[in-house]
Amino acid sequence: MTAISEPELLASLKTTFGYDHFREGQLEIVETLLGGSDAFVVMPTGAGKSLCYQLPAILSERKTIVVSPLVALIDDQVAALRQNGVAASKIHSQQSYEENANQWRRFAGPGAQLLYMSPERLMQPRMLEALQHQSVGMFVVDEAHCISKWGAAFRPEYEALSQLKTLFPEAQIAAFTATADEATRQDIVRKLSNENCRVFVKGFDRPNLSLAVLPKEKLKERLVSLLEPKRGQSGIVYCLSRKDTDEMAAVLSAAGFSALAYHAGKDGEYRREAQNRFMTEDGLIMVATIAFGMGIDKPDIRFVVHASLPSSMEAFYQEIGRAGRDGEPAETIMFYSLQDFIKRQNMIFDGEGEAEFKQLEYKRLESLLGYCEATTCRRMSILTYFDETSAPCGNCDNCLDPPAVEDYSAKAQAIFSAIEQTGQFFGQAHILDVLKGAQNAKIRQRNHQDLACFGALADDPKPVLQSWMRQLIAIGAVRANLSRYGALEITEIGAQISQGSMAFMAKTPKASKTSSPSSGASGRASKKTSSLEGADEALFQDLKALRLNIAQEKNIPAYAVFHDSALKEFATRKPKTRAQFEEINGVGPKKLDRYFEAFSEAIALYVSAHKNG
Ligand code: ADP
Ligand code: ZN
């Protein structure tokens, strides 16, 4: 293949995708693929992996096959490519036989560039045979971690892809994933590539995501007021159960948000429709279990809220990773309580699998608790977990509003004595009752009102006691023993605090914080996300409405017309001529042809209305 210079690549980037510059890492990967090597790329969600193979595919004279596990993802990618004038086809199980045959003919014909399909389609003998007669230059394997049994998301249908290197020795392999630890990475490369594979690992950091954690109290009220400034923005609220999901969606709808519930209990038709609306409409909130999210590459999700603790640090990072793929500020908020933690703990140990696997899962969950209770930068806590280092981020609640930390060893000692004096036999609710000096049947039955520790912390508010308890568990001083129904036990670390050889440094309770939900990082960051910095808000809304009309008419995702960032620039710069439009990042010649008329008219109309008015 002849080398293509950097300025030429930049020119193709603009003419095909309308973008003015490559993002971090993209150019190097594009050049590697154009140079003929295999590539394995680990990049965080939203970093822009697709472009790394799409541009080489477009510039290559040979054809490219993209393997992706999810129909929804295939549909969206192909729709977006076609909007940019790229000859892309797709074959999958939700299209009729005729449609698939049609798509194949298109691909087999001249000028075709890309064909998307699922791994099981690709590996059918007839398909492999047919492809031998095509000039296939590259196989792209998306979500490549699914091929490895080391990873948590192994898919048997991916395993067969390891035959590609033998079946098509002339073709290149490009594999992409957002998650893979060292062992998984080596496994993927070994399975997919013969030799000559370059590995790219880009950092995990997503600086545009703000991070905040709130205690789970008055969840519904707080959520409604937190989302108030975000009306009109798209977001996901994750809940643990189907029931919670339905309830939360109802609460948000009653508060006037457009919100839909999504979980595995809804039928296929409903789910397709819901997902379709989420992709097409603006400002829809999806209240969902984790059944929703895989394969959602909507770039303008402005917030992800966890109404309940996710299952592990990995799961958490993947779920919040769906926000802000367009690189614009997006907010993540997690509500959590110790009950949630214990529920998750139970799910792990009651679940199937080897003891060793459960221990591993438990460690992943424990790291998440550490994140929740962190008193320093939360991003540092995440990145440390993924073996990366960073400086304090300035975009998390702890950076923006550092919690004061004090020595609460005496309080910890009181908590330990309550645990000890009741025989390390009770869960947190009863221990707190004892410390508060509560009068109830359980206390009287056990004569716990006679213990020395009874009422020892009566003057401290219950939420404060709960917070100390969570922090003690997070630092590993207290442990919930699941083989004894979650009874709290004191660990070695706890013993050291108890003996005074180690201090219990904990967050100073903030009365104001619990009473005003929109204070703190989430409140501040929301200002950041809603500000349009010089753009005309009313015009921006007009343009969004226009975009929605077009998207619905064509039955494509709204962002496939233009991203928010492009609309924002329209609303700021109010371009008139084709040349002025084309200067904007996200406007390429194809989109200019398609949409110049509609958008320039809308802008002109707005400008003249506001001149006279
Ligand atoms: P990933 O697959 O890594 O999660 P995508 O390929 O879906 O990410 O890209 C995320 C978003 O960023 C997409 O909406 C894409 O159009 C946009 N994007 C990618 N590269 C660029 C670029 N160079 N300039 C502007 N936007 C880009
Ligand atoms: Zn921070």
Side-chain angles (χ1 to χ4, degrees), residues 19 21-23 26 44-51 299 325 563:
Y19 298 138
H21 34 253
F22 285 103
R23 287 207 187 141
Q26 286 178 330
T45 310
K49 287 187 280 297
S50 327
L51 198 141
R325 280 179 179 238
H563 283 190

mmCIF file of all heavy atoms in Angstrom, residues 19 21-23 26 44-51 299 325 563, ligand 1:
data_model
loop_
_atom_site.group_PDB
_atom_site.id
_atom_site.type_symbol
_atom_site.label_atom_id
_atom_site.label_comp_id
_atom_site.label_asym_id
_atom_site.label_seq_id
_atom_site.Cartn_x
_atom_site.Cartn_y
_atom_site.Cartn_z
ATOM 1 N N TYR A 19 -14.507 16.046 10.533
ATOM 2 C CA TYR A 19 -13.720 16.438 11.708
ATOM 3 C C TYR A 19 -12.439 17.154 11.311
ATOM 4 O O TYR A 19 -11.825 16.847 10.299
ATOM 5 C CB TYR A 19 -13.349 15.211 12.553
ATOM 6 C CG TYR A 19 -14.548 14.487 13.102
ATOM 7 C CD1 TYR A 19 -14.590 13.101 13.105
ATOM 8 C CD2 TYR A 19 -15.630 15.195 13.608
ATOM 9 C CE1 TYR A 19 -15.692 12.423 13.612
ATOM 10 C CE2 TYR A 19 -16.732 14.530 14.109
ATOM 11 C CZ TYR A 19 -16.766 13.143 14.102
ATOM 12 O OH TYR A 19 -17.840 12.486 14.597
ATOM 13 N N HIS A 21 -9.629 17.454 13.379
ATOM 14 C CA HIS A 21 -8.370 16.860 13.853
ATOM 15 C C HIS A 21 -8.621 15.474 14.415
ATOM 16 O O HIS A 21 -9.736 15.123 14.794
ATOM 17 C CB HIS A 21 -7.695 17.749 14.895
ATOM 18 C CG HIS A 21 -8.662 18.479 15.760
ATOM 19 N ND1 HIS A 21 -8.883 19.832 15.642
ATOM 20 C CD2 HIS A 21 -9.523 18.042 16.703
ATOM 21 C CE1 HIS A 21 -9.813 20.190 16.490
ATOM 22 N NE2 HIS A 21 -10.227 19.134 17.147
ATOM 23 N N PHE A 22 -7.530 14.718 14.476
ATOM 24 C CA PHE A 22 -7.613 13.394 15.069
ATOM 25 C C PHE A 22 -7.630 13.529 16.576
ATOM 26 O O PHE A 22 -7.042 14.456 17.130
ATOM 27 C CB PHE A 22 -6.401 12.543 14.661
ATOM 28 C CG PHE A 22 -6.487 12.053 13.254
ATOM 29 C CD1 PHE A 22 -5.744 12.646 12.247
ATOM 30 C CD2 PHE A 22 -7.323 10.993 12.941
ATOM 31 C CE1 PHE A 22 -5.840 12.193 10.941
ATOM 32 C CE2 PHE A 22 -7.422 10.534 11.634
ATOM 33 C CZ PHE A 22 -6.677 11.137 10.639
ATOM 34 N N ARG A 23 -8.256 12.587 17.215
ATOM 35 C CA ARG A 23 -8.157 12.538 18.661
ATOM 36 C C ARG A 23 -6.912 11.752 19.032
ATOM 37 O O ARG A 23 -6.353 11.012 18.216
ATOM 38 C CB ARG A 23 -9.386 11.832 19.229
ATOM 39 C CG ARG A 23 -10.628 12.680 19.157
ATOM 40 C CD ARG A 23 -11.549 12.231 20.261
ATOM 41 N NE ARG A 23 -12.838 12.885 20.180
ATOM 42 C CZ ARG A 23 -13.984 12.262 20.433
ATOM 43 N NH1 ARG A 23 -13.984 10.975 20.745
ATOM 44 N NH2 ARG A 23 -15.114 12.926 20.388
ATOM 45 N N GLN A 26 -5.533 8.260 17.509
ATOM 46 C CA GLN A 26 -6.181 7.802 16.271
ATOM 47 C C GLN A 26 -5.235 7.763 15.070
ATOM 48 O O GLN A 26 -5.205 6.776 14.339
ATOM 49 C CB GLN A 26 -7.389 8.692 15.939
ATOM 50 C CG GLN A 26 -8.589 8.443 16.836
ATOM 51 C CD GLN A 26 -9.749 9.368 16.501
ATOM 52 O OE1 GLN A 26 -9.554 10.496 16.038
ATOM 53 N NE2 GLN A 26 -10.970 8.915 16.749
ATOM 54 N N PRO A 44 -10.410 3.554 25.997
ATOM 55 C CA PRO A 44 -11.646 3.672 26.761
ATOM 56 C C PRO A 44 -12.838 3.979 25.848
ATOM 57 O O PRO A 44 -12.667 4.502 24.745
ATOM 58 C CB PRO A 44 -11.386 4.835 27.715
ATOM 59 C CG PRO A 44 -10.248 5.586 27.129
ATOM 60 C CD PRO A 44 -9.447 4.603 26.330
ATOM 61 N N THR A 45 -14.013 3.640 26.326
ATOM 62 C CA THR A 45 -15.254 3.940 25.626
ATOM 63 C C THR A 45 -15.301 5.414 25.277
ATOM 64 O O THR A 45 -14.972 6.248 26.106
ATOM 65 C CB THR A 45 -16.429 3.619 26.551
ATOM 66 O OG1 THR A 45 -16.220 2.320 27.055
ATOM 67 C CG2 THR A 45 -17.739 3.693 25.824
ATOM 68 N N GLY A 46 -15.710 5.693 24.074
ATOM 69 C CA GLY A 46 -15.887 7.089 23.694
ATOM 70 C C GLY A 46 -14.625 7.741 23.167
ATOM 71 O O GLY A 46 -14.645 8.881 22.730
ATOM 72 N N ALA A 47 -13.506 7.012 23.196
ATOM 73 C CA ALA A 47 -12.247 7.617 22.752
ATOM 74 C C ALA A 47 -12.217 7.759 21.237
ATOM 75 O O ALA A 47 -11.445 8.549 20.698
ATOM 76 C CB ALA A 47 -11.078 6.774 23.230
ATOM 77 N N GLY A 48 -13.075 6.983 20.549
ATOM 78 C CA GLY A 48 -13.111 7.093 19.092
ATOM 79 C C GLY A 48 -12.432 5.932 18.389
ATOM 80 O O GLY A 48 -11.658 6.114 17.453
ATOM 81 N N LYS A 49 -12.758 4.727 18.807
ATOM 82 C CA LYS A 49 -12.141 3.548 18.204
ATOM 83 C C LYS A 49 -12.612 3.334 16.768
ATOM 84 O O LYS A 49 -11.806 3.001 15.901
ATOM 85 C CB LYS A 49 -12.482 2.290 19.036
ATOM 86 C CG LYS A 49 -11.733 2.243 20.353
ATOM 87 C CD LYS A 49 -11.949 0.934 21.073
ATOM 88 C CE LYS A 49 -13.263 0.875 21.806
ATOM 89 N NZ LYS A 49 -13.380 1.866 22.882
ATOM 90 N N SER A 50 -13.908 3.539 16.512
ATOM 91 C CA SER A 50 -14.459 3.192 15.198
ATOM 92 C C SER A 50 -13.696 3.864 14.063
ATOM 93 O O SER A 50 -13.378 3.246 13.054
ATOM 94 C CB SER A 50 -15.929 3.588 15.097
ATOM 95 O OG SER A 50 -16.560 3.476 16.335
ATOM 96 N N LEU A 51 -13.420 5.150 14.272
ATOM 97 C CA LEU A 51 -12.751 5.889 13.212
ATOM 98 C C LEU A 51 -11.389 5.284 12.853
ATOM 99 O O LEU A 51 -10.949 5.366 11.714
ATOM 100 C CB LEU A 51 -12.584 7.330 13.706
ATOM 101 C CG LEU A 51 -12.319 8.374 12.669
ATOM 102 C CD1 LEU A 51 -13.077 9.631 13.036
ATOM 103 C CD2 LEU A 51 -10.839 8.683 12.590
ATOM 104 N N PRO A 299 -23.588 9.386 21.431
ATOM 105 C CA PRO A 299 -22.452 10.185 21.908
ATOM 106 C C PRO A 299 -22.814 11.247 22.938
ATOM 107 O O PRO A 299 -21.958 11.724 23.652
ATOM 108 C CB PRO A 299 -21.946 10.854 20.622
ATOM 109 C CG PRO A 299 -23.116 10.874 19.709
ATOM 110 C CD PRO A 299 -23.954 9.695 20.047
ATOM 111 N N ARG A 325 -19.527 10.457 25.409
ATOM 112 C CA ARG A 325 -18.615 9.944 24.387
ATOM 113 C C ARG A 325 -18.158 11.024 23.435
ATOM 114 O O ARG A 325 -17.158 10.901 22.753
ATOM 115 C CB ARG A 325 -19.321 8.879 23.546
ATOM 116 C CG ARG A 325 -19.367 7.559 24.202
ATOM 117 C CD ARG A 325 -20.097 6.622 23.280
ATOM 118 N NE ARG A 325 -20.142 5.318 23.866
ATOM 119 C CZ ARG A 325 -19.644 4.222 23.279
ATOM 120 N NH1 ARG A 325 -19.106 4.298 22.099
ATOM 121 N NH2 ARG A 325 -19.711 3.082 23.876
ATOM 122 N N HIS A 563 -23.824 16.130 15.601
ATOM 123 C CA HIS A 563 -23.638 16.039 17.051
ATOM 124 C C HIS A 563 -24.053 17.343 17.720
ATOM 125 O O HIS A 563 -24.061 18.395 17.079
ATOM 126 C CB HIS A 563 -22.166 15.800 17.376
ATOM 127 C CG HIS A 563 -21.736 14.396 17.143
ATOM 128 N ND1 HIS A 563 -20.525 13.922 17.549
ATOM 129 C CD2 HIS A 563 -22.354 13.357 16.541
ATOM 130 C CE1 HIS A 563 -20.410 12.658 17.215
ATOM 131 N NE2 HIS A 563 -21.508 12.293 16.592
HETATM 132 P P1 ADP B 1 -15.606 4.098 21.024
HETATM 133 O O1 ADP B 1 -15.955 3.061 20.005
HETATM 134 O O2 ADP B 1 -14.161 4.206 21.319
HETATM 135 O O3 ADP B 1 -16.414 3.985 22.273
HETATM 136 P P2 ADP B 1 -16.678 5.864 19.054
HETATM 137 O O4 ADP B 1 -15.886 5.358 17.938
HETATM 138 O O5 ADP B 1 -18.109 5.489 19.142
HETATM 139 O O6 ADP B 1 -15.975 5.497 20.431
HETATM 140 O O7 ADP B 1 -16.518 7.442 19.086
HETATM 141 C C1 ADP B 1 -17.133 8.216 20.079
HETATM 142 C C2 ADP B 1 -17.665 9.498 19.477
HETATM 143 O O8 ADP B 1 -16.602 10.379 19.164
HETATM 144 C C3 ADP B 1 -18.427 9.259 18.194
HETATM 145 O O9 ADP B 1 -19.627 9.978 18.248
HETATM 146 C C4 ADP B 1 -17.497 9.778 17.114
HETATM 147 O O10 ADP B 1 -18.213 10.267 16.022
HETATM 148 C C5 ADP B 1 -16.735 10.871 17.842
HETATM 149 N N1 ADP B 1 -15.380 11.055 17.277
HETATM 150 C C6 ADP B 1 -14.480 10.095 16.991
HETATM 151 N N2 ADP B 1 -13.349 10.630 16.491
HETATM 152 C C7 ADP B 1 -13.520 11.967 16.460
HETATM 153 C C8 ADP B 1 -12.691 13.096 16.048
HETATM 154 N N3 ADP B 1 -11.451 12.924 15.556
HETATM 155 N N4 ADP B 1 -13.214 14.332 16.177
HETATM 156 C C9 ADP B 1 -14.455 14.514 16.668
HETATM 157 N N5 ADP B 1 -15.290 13.504 17.069
HETATM 158 C C10 ADP B 1 -14.826 12.250 16.969
#
